[in-house]
Amino acid sequence: MSIKIDKFVLSIIVIIIMAYFFPEWGIERSAIPLDTISAIGISFIFFFYGLKLSPTQLKAGLKNWKLHVLVQGSTFLLFPLLVLLMRPFLQNEAQETIWLAFFFLAALPSTVSSSVVMVSMAKGNIPAAIFNASISGIIGILITPLWMGLFIDNTQTDFDFTDIYLKLIIQIIVPVIVGLFLQRYWGGFARKHSSKLTLFDKSIILLIIYKSFAASFYNDMFSVVSLIDLLFLFAGVLVLFVVVYTLIGVLAKALRLNTKDQITAQFCGTKKSLVHGTVFSKILFGNMATLGIMLLPLMLFHATQILIISVLASKKAND
């Protein structure tokens, strides 16, 4: 069985290298208005999300409540609680920042596209995957800032729920609602050109990642992260993934879910959305100098989950 390296993961690596060599393009004083471009791009991402979100598929998925509770509970409770267990062991400010980055990863919703694709490949419950991945993004708009609000005031940013939710409403909720209203006119077009819209989504994500890392490189924030630290970060996301995947499998069997639902629970419940992560990081953390570090565990987790789930999906498809 051959393992293909995800092109998007390679693109992230390339964009981080660009940020390292050309950080001046991503700072606030840059002549290129990356903040404005990314803000408009974020709104379009969620507008297209609303266009593609099928009410019929969501209604069909409502009946399988045990599976939904397991997936959403894993996404928004199991992940954060596991990371919270490590908080008492923090010893300095650098560890606090890295822990907060892990907690941000843990508080994020699941991703839509890769969840559904991998569940389909592994012959899982596709309608349930679509429902859970879609509803997770909506729940995350409310839950992720609430989780982060418990600890973010310890950082160097001003955390204001009013400002946070105002930005979430303007940049995310309003575009989704507009997309839902216009779905009857443009929904078919959006689904037909879904691959092109996904390319647009990824382009905006890469832009946000570039700006985040460019600012961090420009301010020399990664001087506190050594190669050993990066290896520990990778080990941390790997352990987190394996523990959550295993626990979901145990809980799925305890709930007597069938094989298809078990696959869906484990594949959807272990995902974390890079789309929401990059968007939320920009809104929650603003122009924090450590923004690039805050995204590191998420990007390592994204690459790890894609690789492992791809292998598992291929294996299950051949069973």
Side-chain angles (χ1 to χ4, degrees), residues 229-230 233-235 237 295-305:
D229 290 330
L230 284 175
L233 284 175
F234 177 73
V237 298
L295 287 172
L296 260 181
L298 174 59
M299 286 186 285
L300 288 172
F301 189 88
H302 177 80
T304 301
Q305 72 183 12

Side-chain angles (χ1 to χ4, degrees), residues 119-137:
V119 168
S120 174
M121 187 188 302
K123 301 176 182 177
N125 187 332
I126 299 173
I130 293 170
F131 173 82
N132 277 285
S134 300
I135 204 70
S136 178

